[in-house]
Amino acid sequence: RAALSNELSGSEVIVVSNREPYIHNRTDNGITLQIPASGLVAALEPITRACGGTWVAHGSGTADRETVDTYDRVAVPPGHPSYTLRRVWLTEEEQDGYYYGAANEGLWPLCHIAFVRPVFRETDWRMYRAVNAKFADAVVAEAKREDPVVLVQDYHFALLPRMIRERLPRATIVTFWHIPWPNAETFGICPWREEIIDGLLGSSILGFHTQAHCNHFLEAVDAYVESRIDRERDAVTYGGEETLIRPYPISIEWPPAALAGQKSVEECRAAVRQRLGLPPEMRLGVGIERFDYTKGIIDRMKAIDTLLTDYPEWKGHFVFAQVAAPTRSKLANYRQLQEEAEALARDINVRHGTEGYEPIKLLVRHHEPDEVFELFRAADLCVVSSLHDGMNLVAKEFVAARDDEAGVLILSAFAGASRELAEALIVNPYNAHAMGEAFNRALTMPLGEQRERMRLMRDQVRERNVYRWAGQMLLAASRLRKRQRIRRVI
Ligand code: F6P
């Protein structure tokens, strides 16, 4: 952490993301603070806390808009402020076009390849462009120097790096794409492909979670724009400027803040079982995500159905608690997913349940990090069955939560995290039968084996934590700045 601040000492850091790290909501109990369910926030918040500076994000809470004067620019985290949260306000029309439309009906399914057809509306794209320009205005207004380090986050801002470059040519722009990048052929169906590539190549450094995503991006550059690609250095020269393309596997802070103040694993086990109305000896699996079709929630329920059919001895002895935080509910396919999951849970509970026993508990509400960590500590197993995921930080959080070194992680081969957490039970979420087997294997795994696997995974997450993720990116940025400075002097 200290190295991070040193690396940046004397530089101005501005982070830009759509999602804000703290949401102020107006409730019957006054203004309350919510930490959103977002891997991006989980990763970047500790970094911004360590570096200081400004975080520019969309103001999304219900309290914000009514009290713009107070909540326009807030010092956060509450109680120990170390950076400024600068909110950008969006109209409903802007959110519909930019966030729901272009970003989440267009780019999200395009990049995830979860067999949901992307929707490309010209009107959405115009709004996406306009909102990116609005954020560029905010970054320029916040910048106190002509050469800030700007950390642009995610698929909401593909055009922003170029827009910032045009107005702050000496800025060091590091962009990180938090979701997968598809192969060039798949990306090629996007009507905005050239503009997206042009926008991203305004960055000094462009990061993805894995080398495979970097390779896919380079293939797309090669296929769709005039440029020179140096494959040895993974660098693209475009319009006379160079962009480095690099893999930076994102991670979590170690130890995670939510672990502080947690009760012992035994106490968590007892408390969670009591809250869920389960007997103390009930075996428990957990899944924790936003209600998103990329997360494979339906597929994991089908696997539980298979488990209870093929291994009926688990009936009455195993419960799966699925936390599903509502998300993007304005979009029809997100609402349909929730309806489908609720119907499937009911059906499985009717077919395999008995008086007083329901194998699936669907907990449809946002859970704060403390509650999530308590569930992780209470569980015998955790399932991450994404159909496709850039990294997936839930998998890493589960591992970090288990300081007792027990518990089994069942992890999709199609989540970036499977590259690093190879000691999980790696599954194909599309194969309900094999996943059902994995559940049984997890439930019967001897404690010694659980510990061996968990220790290796914990070493990995401890070592490759989020400070390292940010440190590598910022180190690359600082080298670049030094080189540019020397070149200017020469
Ligand atoms: O990491 C991918 C991501 O889309 C982030 O950009 C985002 O914060 C998170 O998932 C949750 O999505 P949303 O901000 O749309 O609720």
Side-chain angles (χ1 to χ4, degrees):
R1 220 193 278 208
L4 207 61
S5 328
N6 279 349
E7 203 49 62
L8 289 166
S9 66
S11 307
E12 179 188 15
V13 179
I14 304 175
V15 176
V16 193
S17 73
N18 173 69
R19 186 54 68 194
E20 56 181 341
Y22 295 96
I23 304 177
H24 286 94
N25 282 318
R26 187 176 293 280
T27 68
D28 294 343
N29 305 325
I31 306 268
T32 59
L33 203 63
Q34 187 189 322
I35 298 176
S38 154
L40 181 155
V41 169
L44 270 164
E45 212 282 329
I47 298 304
T48 320
R49 244 189 285 135
C51 298
T54 307
W55 187 329
V56 181
H58 166 220
S60 56
T62 50
D64 306 341
R65 212 171 294 264
E66 301 154 28
T67 45
V68 169
D69 288 348
T70 331
Y71 290 102
D72 201 14
R73 202 180 253 102
V74 229
V76 286
H80 313 277
S82 57
Y83 63 96
T84 303
L85 169 58
R86 156 74 152 90
R87 290 185 167 118
V88 174
W89 309 103
L90 299 180
T91 63
E92 205 176 333
E93 205 190 355
E94 284 172 331
Q95 285 184 64
D96 284 349
Y98 140 83
Y99 173 76
Y100 289 107
N104 285 316
E105 285 192 285
L107 299 181
W108 181 268
L110 173 76
C111 291
H112 277 92
I113 323 180
F115 305 99
V116 169
R117 188 186 160 134
V119 180
F120 302 119
R121 287 185 208 92
E122 191 46 37
T123 44
D124 290 345
W125 189 242
R126 258 183 258 137
M127 204 51 95
Y128 183 94
R129 219 185 264 135
V131 171
N132 272 239
K134 199 166 177 172
F135 273 80
D137 288 344
V139 170
V140 172
E142 289 301 316
K144 293 170 195 72
R145 300 169 45 155
E146 56 171 11
D147 65 346
V149 176
V150 188
L151 307 177
V152 176
Q153 307 301 313
D154 231 349
Y155 63 101
H156 308 90
F157 295 119
L159 306 181
L160 187 58
R162 169 74 49 217
M163 291 172 174
I164 297 174
R165 172 70 60 227
E166 277 163 6
R167 295 169 64 185
L168 294 171
R170 290 189 51 204
T172 306
I173 305 171
V174 185
T175 302
F176 191 78
W177 193 261
H178 288 256
I179 62 174
W181 188 279
N183 60 60
E185 214 178 325
T186 302
F187 180 69
I189 65 168
C190 179
W192 318 313
R193 61 191 193 193
E194 287 87 0
E195 206 178 336
I196 289 176
I197 294 174
D198 173 82
L200 289 171
L201 290 178
S203 314
S204 319
I205 301 172
L206 173 59
F208 297 92
H209 292 293
T210 66
Q211 185 61 49
H213 297 154
C214 294
N215 296 345
H216 287 165
F217 178 77
L218 289 167
E219 282 162 24
V221 171
D222 193 25
Y224 305 122
V225 299
E226 282 290 325
S227 65
R228 189 159 48 80
I229 299 178
D230 178 343
R231 281 313 304 240
E232 258 172 49
R233 293 175 53 244
D234 279 350
V236 178
T237 305
Y238 171 78
E241 297 281 340
E242 188 178 79
T243 304
L244 302 175
I245 314 300
R246 294 283 181 272
Y248 297 112
I250 203 167
S251 195
I252 55 168
E253 68 176 323
W254 186 283
L259 198 55
Q262 284 288 338
K263 300 213 172 72
S264 71
V265 165
E266 287 67 33
E267 286 169 298
C268 292
R269 286 181 76 88
V272 165
R273 280 164 181 74
Q274 196 183 26
R275 208 170 38 250
L276 296 178
L278 306 175
E281 67 284 0
M282 181 64 80
R283 307 295 299 279
L284 181 68
V286 295
I288 299 183
E289 36 257 311
R290 294 178 300 105
F291 230 137
D292 194 296
Y293 55 80
T294 60
K295 302 293 178 188
I297 295 173
I298 297 283
D299 306 76
R300 120 185 19 160
M301 287 188 187
K302 288 184 181 160
I304 294 169
D305 193 358
T306 308
L307 170 81
L308 299 175
T309 307
D310 293 354
Y311 300 92
E313 63 272 25
W314 287 115
K315 285 189 191 186
H317 300 285
F318 173 65
V319 164
F320 191 79
Q322 174 66 56
V323 168
T327 180
R328 308 175 190 172
S329 315
K330 208 168 181 180
L331 301 179
N333 49 9
Y334 281 79
R335 290 196 302 275
Q336 276 154 17
L337 169 72
Q338 184 166 339
E339 281 161 24
E340 203 185 323
E342 284 167 350
L344 184 56
R346 269 196 305 274
D347 172 52
I348 293 174
N349 285 341
V350 167
R351 281 188 294 108
H352 297 291
T354 48
E355 181 74 38
Y357 168 66
E358 279 189 342
I360 297 187
K361 298 241 178 245
L362 197 51
L363 311 170
V364 185
R365 70 168 173 85
H366 173 77
H367 284 55
E368 289 298 325
D370 287 354
E371 295 178 274
V372 169
F373 270 69
E374 189 187 38
L375 278 168
F376 283 147
R377 288 166 74 73
D380 295 291
L381 63 91
C382 171
V383 183
V384 170
S385 56
S386 314
L387 304 180
H388 199 185
D389 222 329
M391 174 55 68
N392 193 290
L393 293 183
V394 170
K396 293 188 175 182
E397 284 176 342
F398 173 65
V399 166
R402 298 311 296 258
D403 51 9
D404 63 328
E405 299 179 338
V408 182
L409 175 64
I410 299 180
L411 177 58
S412 166
F414 311 126
S418 67
R419 309 281 185 288
E420 291 177 82
L421 303 178
E423 293 74 29
L425 296 183
I426 305 292
V427 291
N428 172 359
Y430 290 91
N431 186 340
H433 177 73
M435 244 215 292
E437 295 277 318
F439 270 92
N440 182 57
R441 191 159 165 219
L443 287 166
T444 52
M445 188 182 285
L447 191 58
E449 184 180 344
Q450 290 183 32
R451 292 226 153 105
E452 250 175 84
R453 290 172 180 266
M454 190 52 95
R455 261 182 224 132
L456 286 166
M457 292 194 286
R458 285 175 62 79
D459 287 348
Q460 177 77 16
V461 180
R462 183 188 300 115
E463 202 179 304
R464 300 180 69 123
N465 60 39
V466 76
Y467 295 106
R468 188 175 154 144
W469 170 73
Q472 285 181 331
M473 262 187 298
L474 296 172
L475 189 65
S478 128
R479 275 201 204 114
L480 214 63
R481 286 163 82 82
K482 281 179 197 148
R483 268 195 215 124
Q484 281 164 350
R485 231 174 279 142
I486 290 171
R487 258 187 243 137
R488 266 198 300 277
V489 172
I490 295 170

